């Protein structure tokens, strides 16, 4: 049985690929570049020019100390610029030109789409204030809604195939990055998060997709779905027994695949069931008062049918309530020669009517407790 299933989902931003742009020092916005929320920008795109008086004073102090020629004081003043959050490029420019740089350009650290932009010309900023939020577009999330009843086999890391209405005839490959822990109460679905590569930025949040979540093939006991009789309280199948007899059997069902249904309990491999007309047979069984075989009865029937019995002929040498000593012939099936040995007698009724000296045909098995006689009959003509 293949564990593949199909679900629907929508494209969303990869929330793990988010960059927050903040002001490292208080100051004033002198210029805002032509950006707006929703714009797609590359890494290093300028957002605004900021006048930072605190940085200007620290740079002037650094240049004054450097002119004294004291290396230790110069290094301490330079370290202060670093601790104020000044970019290394700005510090290098001050050292190279020998002039303070009071105005610094704030740029995007990564490429992507601007989701939020909270900076305007002339506004006053404080240190740590958020200016923009940039979401990368290298990969996107596909959030698929999978019914909880069939979400059990899904595992993070497994591969999936997705088709989008925007690109008919094209199949995209991705992998399951996470299965969210919360179930949607209204739809009884789990959200499966799939990560898809987004080459060229073609996949845009909000797009609709159909997802095929394939899995490994697993062995299962299958019956035709049409053979099941669902009463509302239980599920039955009709067993086809020997000599044209039938008997209902209760089963526990699992997943469905095509026209087949998985049986978790109640049947054994090789048993014959009725796939057509089973409702008529079930009605006759109900009128006749035939009880359905319980789920646990399948294992008992299998063990009884597969128990190995070995038969031979022997003479009763001694008999008690719990054992019988027999001089028997060879048993080729298990390599026994002719010998005299004692067998267990689990039920005295097996030896009813028999006595010492009788020649009998008997069947026995070999459980862990020792050889045990299961049936014994007197040989005719003795």
């Amino acid at each position: 049985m293949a564990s593949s299933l199909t679900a629907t989902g929508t494209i969303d931003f990869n929330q793990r690929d988010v960059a927050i742009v903040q002001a490292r020092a208080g100051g004033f916005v002198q210029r805002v570049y032509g950006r707006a929320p929703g714009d797609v920008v590359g890494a290093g795109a300028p957002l605004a020019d900021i006048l930072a008086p605190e940085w200007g004073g620290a740079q002037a102090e650094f240049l004054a100390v450097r002119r004294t020629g004291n290396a230790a004081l110069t290094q301490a003043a330079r370290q202060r610029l670093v601790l104020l959050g000044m970019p290394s490029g700005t510090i290098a420019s001050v050292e190279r030109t020998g002039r303070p740089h009071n105005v610094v350009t704030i740029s995007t650290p990564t490429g992507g789409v601007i989701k939020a932009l909270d900076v305007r010309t002339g506004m006053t900023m404080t240190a740590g204030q958020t200016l923009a939020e940039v979401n990368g577009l290298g990969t996107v999330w596909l959030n698929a809604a999978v019914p909880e009843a069939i979400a059990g086999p899904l595992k993070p890391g497994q591969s999936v195939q997705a088709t989008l209405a925007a690109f008919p005839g094209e199949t995209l490959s991705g992998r399951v990055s996470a299965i969210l822990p919360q179930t949607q109460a209204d739809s009884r679905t789990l959200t499966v998060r799939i990560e898809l590569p987004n080459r060229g930025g073609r996949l845009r949040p909000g797009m609709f997709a159909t997802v095929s979540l394939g899995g490994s093939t697993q062995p299962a006991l299958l019956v035709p779905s049409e053979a099941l009789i669902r009463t509302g309280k239980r599920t039955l199948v009709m067993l086809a027994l020997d000599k044209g007899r039938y008997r209902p059997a209760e089963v526990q069902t699992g997943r469905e695949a095509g026209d087949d249904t998985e049986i978790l309990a109640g049947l054994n491999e090789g048993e014959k069931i009725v796939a057509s007309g089973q409702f008529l047979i079930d009605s006759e069984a109900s009128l006749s008062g035939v009880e359905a075989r319980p789920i646990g009865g399948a294992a008992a029937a299998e063990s009884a049918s597969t128990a190995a019995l070995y038969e031979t002929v022997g003479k009763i040498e001694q008999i008690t309530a719990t054992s019988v000593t027999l001089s028997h012939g060879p048993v080729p099936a298990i390599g026994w020669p002719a010998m005299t040995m004692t067998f267990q007698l689990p039920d005295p009724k097996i030896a009813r009517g028999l006595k010492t000296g009788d020649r009998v045909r008997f069947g026995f098995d070999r459980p862990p407790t020792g050889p045990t006689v299961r049936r014994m009959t007197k040989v005719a003509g003795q």
Side-chain angles (χ1 to χ4, degrees):
M1 170 176 280
S3 59
S4 61
L5 56 93
T6 302
T8 58
T10 55
I11 301 293
D12 195 4
F13 287 108
N14 185 347
Q15 300 297 329
R16 293 193 181 97
D17 190 10
V18 177
I20 302 297
V21 183
Q22 292 182 325
R24 297 186 178 183
F28 311 95
V29 179
Q30 284 195 333
R31 175 188 177 188
V32 175
Y33 291 82
R35 311 293 183 195
D39 287 353
V40 178
V41 296
L47 295 177
D49 291 339
I50 308 298
L51 174 63
E54 184 180 4
W55 282 8
Q59 292 171 8
E61 181 181 338
F62 164 72
L63 293 174
V65 171
R66 192 176 69 162
R67 284 192 292 267
T68 65
N70 190 319
L73 290 177
T74 301
Q75 180 61 29
R78 190 182 190 283
Q79 184 63 24
R80 180 167 180 258
L81 300 183
V82 175
L83 295 177
L84 286 174
M86 203 171 299
S88 58
T90 300
I91 297 175
S93 179
V94 172
E95 290 178 319
R96 184 176 62 255
T97 62
R99 291 179 295 135
H101 288 255
N102 298 332
V103 178
V104 61
T105 299
I106 304 296
S107 304
T108 58
T110 62
V113 60
I114 299 177
K115 295 187 68 177
L117 184 63
D118 298 323
V119 57
R120 298 291 183 270
T121 302
M123 67 181 292
T124 302
M125 299 184 317
T126 58
Q129 180 175 340
T130 298
L131 304 180
E133 178 182 341
V134 180
N135 208 133
L137 293 175
T139 59
V140 293
W141 283 348
L142 172 55
N143 294 323
V146 179
E148 61 175 338
I150 58 176
L154 297 180
K155 303 294 180 184
Q158 76 178 65
S159 61
V160 301
Q161 305 292 323
T163 57
L164 279 76
F167 308 109
E170 184 176 350
T171 301
L172 304 177
S173 298
R175 64 178 181 85
V176 176
S177 61
I179 300 175
L180 302 192
Q182 186 174 1
T183 302
Q184 301 297 323
D186 52 348
S187 60
R188 309 310 306 169
T189 58
L190 291 175
T191 299
V192 177
R193 181 178 292 163
I194 300 158
E195 190 170 302
L196 294 175
N198 187 21
R199 299 179 183 86
R202 296 191 309 157
L203 304 182
R204 304 176 185 275
M207 284 183 171
F208 180 82
T210 301
V211 186
S212 176
L213 300 109
S216 59
T217 302
Q218 301 175 350
L221 182 64
L222 302 177
V223 300
S225 298
E226 62 177 339
L228 299 175
I229 304 172
R230 304 182 188 272
T231 66
K233 294 183 179 180
R234 59 182 181 174
T235 303
L236 301 173
V237 296
M238 295 304 301
L239 294 173
L241 306 178
D242 296 335
K243 299 179 181 179
R245 294 178 297 115
Y246 303 95
R247 182 185 180 185
E250 186 176 354
V251 295
Q252 180 183 353
T253 59
R255 297 166 296 164
E256 293 188 13
D259 296 329
D260 295 325
T261 298
E262 179 186 18
I263 299 298
L264 301 178
L267 284 178
N268 294 311
E269 181 179 358
E271 289 188 292
K272 293 183 179 181
I273 61 173
V274 179
S276 179
Q278 69 273 24
F279 290 97
L280 295 175
I281 301 175
D282 181 53
S283 299
E284 292 293 334
S286 299
L287 291 174
S288 302
V290 178
E291 294 185 0
R293 187 180 74 182
I295 289 179
E302 181 182 35
S303 62
S305 62
T306 58
L309 286 181
Y310 308 100
E311 287 196 357
T312 187
V313 177
K315 178 183 176 183
I316 299 177
E317 301 292 345
Q318 184 180 359
I319 187 167
T320 68
T322 59
S323 65
V324 58
T325 302
L326 294 162
S327 299
H328 62 80
V331 186
I334 53 178
W336 281 11
M339 66 177 123
T340 299
M341 66 179 300
T342 300
F343 296 83
Q344 295 185 51
L345 198 61
D347 188 353
K349 295 179 181 179
I350 297 176
R352 180 179 297 172
L354 299 175
K355 62 184 184 300
T356 302
D358 286 345
R359 186 169 179 78
V360 295
R361 176 175 293 278
F362 66 97
F364 68 95
D365 59 6
R366 297 194 297 170
T369 56
T372 303
V373 172
R374 299 299 179 182
R375 59 173 177 260
M376 189 164 51
T377 57
K378 190 174 181 179
V379 176
Q382 179 175 304

